[in-house]
């Protein structure tokens, strides 16, 4: 496949995902993120990388952010938010973490391309459905010519950036300039 044909097909897939996405579902996710000052995040593989990028921007916004599995991650509890990305909705060890966090009193938000998955159905307090093809997914999503979960992973990164931009725009006193002041300065 030629370069131009490939990027045009990829961009067409993005358009389909963003047009199919439930804006009310995204708004509910944004409001939950806005109201929590202490947020824990978890994800694996490439979707985990997109989630870590989101965690970084949340930290730049001034929120207390913790990545599950970091050695310095404190205990989770009442009033905390756990955001778990599970493309196919049933990653065993992430399900386990979500169950423990729920037992500790945290609010569990699952971001997935497969809302019929076990964690979304039985553990999550809320689900943010990103209707993009995921690896081993079975739900009604935008299909992709790309391999495995590429489409979900790419859209996740873009959506998380859009969510950060929305929160900054809606939060008095928060700006990209203030965020850059929290950027790591030991590089």
């Amino acid at each position: 496949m030629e370069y131009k044909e490939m990027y045009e097909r990829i961009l067409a897939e993005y358009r389909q995902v963003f047009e199919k996405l439930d804006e009310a579902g995204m708004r509910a996710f944004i409001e939950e993120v806005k109201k929590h000052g202490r947020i824990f995040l978890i994800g694996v593989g490439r979707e985990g990388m997109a989630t870590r990028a989101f965690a970084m921007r949340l930290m730049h916004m001034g929120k207390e952010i913790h990545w599950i599995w970091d050695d310095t991650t404190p205990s989770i509890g009442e009033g905390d938010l756990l955001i778990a990305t599970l493309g196919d909705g049933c990653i065993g060890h992430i399900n386990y973490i979500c169950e423990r966090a729920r037992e500790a009193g945290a609010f569990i938000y699952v971001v997935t391309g497969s809302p019929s998955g076990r964690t979304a159905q039985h553990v999550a307090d809320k689900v943010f459905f990103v209707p993009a093809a995921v690896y081993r997914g079975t739900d009604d999503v935008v299909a992709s010519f790309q391999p495995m979960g590429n489409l979900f992973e790419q859209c996740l990164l873009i959506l998380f950036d859009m969510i950060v931009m929305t929160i900054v725009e809606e939060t008095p006193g928060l700006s990209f300039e203030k965020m850059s002041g929290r950027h790591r300065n030991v590089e």
Side-chain angles (χ1 to χ4, degrees), residues 107-177:
F107 189 92
I108 312 302
Y109 222 122
V110 167
V111 181
T112 184
S114 192
S116 67
R118 180 179 67 218
T119 307
Q121 288 290 310
H122 303 293
V123 184
D125 291 299
K126 282 200 173 178
V127 175
F128 178 27
F129 175 40
V130 179
V134 296
Y135 184 58
R136 298 182 317 208
T138 58
D139 291 75
D140 181 25
V141 296
V142 174
S144 180
F145 79 99
Q146 300 181 68
M148 296 175 271
N150 274 21
L151 184 59
F152 177 76
E153 297 148 3
Q154 294 158 359
C155 289
L156 192 61
L157 179 67
I158 294 167
L159 282 167
F160 280 159
D161 280 348
M162 291 169 65
I163 287 164
V164 166
M165 292 165 64
T166 300
I167 292 171
V168 170
E169 184 177 283
E170 295 176 353
T171 305
L174 184 58
S175 67
F176 296 122
E177 291 75 29

Side-chain angles (χ1 to χ4, degrees), residues 54-79:
F54 183 49
M56 183 186 298
R57 287 293 186 245
L58 293 174
M59 177 276 296
H60 290 153
M61 288 170 36
K63 293 188 175 285
E64 182 182 337
I65 301 301
H66 300 284
W67 185 256
I68 299 292
W69 296 316
D70 278 351
D71 291 335
T72 58
T73 300
S75 62
I76 193 169
E78 198 74 36

